[in-house]
Amino acid sequence: MKAMLHPKIENALNAQLARESAASSNYLAMAVWCDQQSLDGCARFFYRQADEERMHMMKILHYLIECNAAAEVPGLPKPAAAFQSVQQVFHSALEQEQAVTRSINELVELAQECSDHSTQHFLQWYVAEQIEEEAQAKNILDKINLIGDDKGGLYLFDRDIQQITVTSSIGTIK
Ligand code: FEO
């Protein structure tokens, strides 16, 4: 069992847990939209992203329990379900990752202020993960923007995105 968490850290970790859960729901909504447009590769990509975000949530949940801290299972906010285009879907994905990175950085700063070395160490995994996730989202959005309205390009992109392996330092989701 780790040392007790500062109440500010406990609250901030619970808020992050809720953000990861919301990110999972949002990715699921993106997957469903893509599935309905017969963009099977994109749908598969977002289903895996939704699983990955749930895993991010579970890591925080287990850390809070290990620290004997309060851990609240968040309610599910209703995600956006109506997208206008595949560009908008991937743009939302990038914005979501950027927002998560900001909140992780704020959490790291809070842990530093509170001299909570254990939580700082725990958060390093998320810092590294966000670098990967943001780079991946940006890279995909750049490709989507290059394709523009080219239907043939979108068909090939949808096929190729299935080759992207979602990696993380605690496992690989294929
Ligand atoms: Fe867990 Fe992609 O943020």
Side-chain angles (χ1 to χ4, degrees):
M1 181 99 46
K2 293 193 166 69
M4 285 235 330
L5 292 179
H6 189 289
K8 278 188 188 172
I9 300 276
E10 188 178 71
N11 287 339
L13 281 171
N14 272 289
Q16 187 62 33
L17 187 153
R19 266 183 224 110
E20 302 287 352
S21 174
S24 179
S25 296
N26 289 335
Y27 276 137
L28 202 51
M30 293 176 197
V32 168
W33 186 87
C34 290
D35 228 350
Q36 287 167 340
Q37 313 299 314
S38 299
L39 292 166
D40 298 348
C42 294
R44 191 153 174 254
F45 172 79
F46 284 122
Y47 283 128
R48 288 181 311 184
Q49 287 294 112
D51 286 346
E52 171 127 334
E53 296 304 343
R54 185 166 191 283
M55 180 269 285
H56 294 176
M57 178 196 81
M58 294 302 289
K59 261 177 89 78
I60 298 174
L61 193 70
H62 289 307
Y63 179 73
L64 285 164
I65 291 166
E66 212 181 311
C67 294
N68 209 20
E72 290 163 30
V73 176
L76 284 179
K78 198 163 166 45
F83 297 99
Q84 303 304 315
S85 64
V86 71
Q87 282 85 356
Q88 191 197 6
V89 171
F90 281 96
H91 191 257
S92 300
L94 176 60
E95 280 186 339
Q96 172 164 279
E97 291 304 337
Q98 289 168 333
V100 171
T101 300
R102 281 195 296 276
S103 61
I104 291 289
N105 289 343
E106 284 166 14
L107 249 169
V108 171
E109 282 159 27
L110 184 63
Q112 284 166 347
E113 274 169 34
C114 296
S115 301
D116 181 343
H117 301 292
S118 169
T119 300
Q120 282 181 59
H121 176 73
F122 170 72
L123 290 171
Q124 286 316 300
W125 183 88
Y126 285 86
V127 171
E129 182 75 1
Q130 280 314 116
I131 292 170
E132 256 183 43
E133 293 215 332
E134 234 190 275
Q136 177 177 263
K138 181 154 191 333
N139 190 275
I140 293 174
L141 184 60
D142 285 346
K143 287 192 172 66
I144 280 282
N145 286 337
L146 266 178
I147 291 166
D149 293 332
D150 176 3
K151 293 249 186 317
L154 183 58
Y155 175 82
L156 292 176
F157 171 82
D158 187 57
R159 186 195 64 187
D160 292 346
I161 196 173
Q162 303 199 45
Q163 307 307 318
I164 292 181
T165 303
V166 180
T167 55
S168 74
S169 49
I170 63 162
T172 301
I173 303 168
K174 294 221 181 204

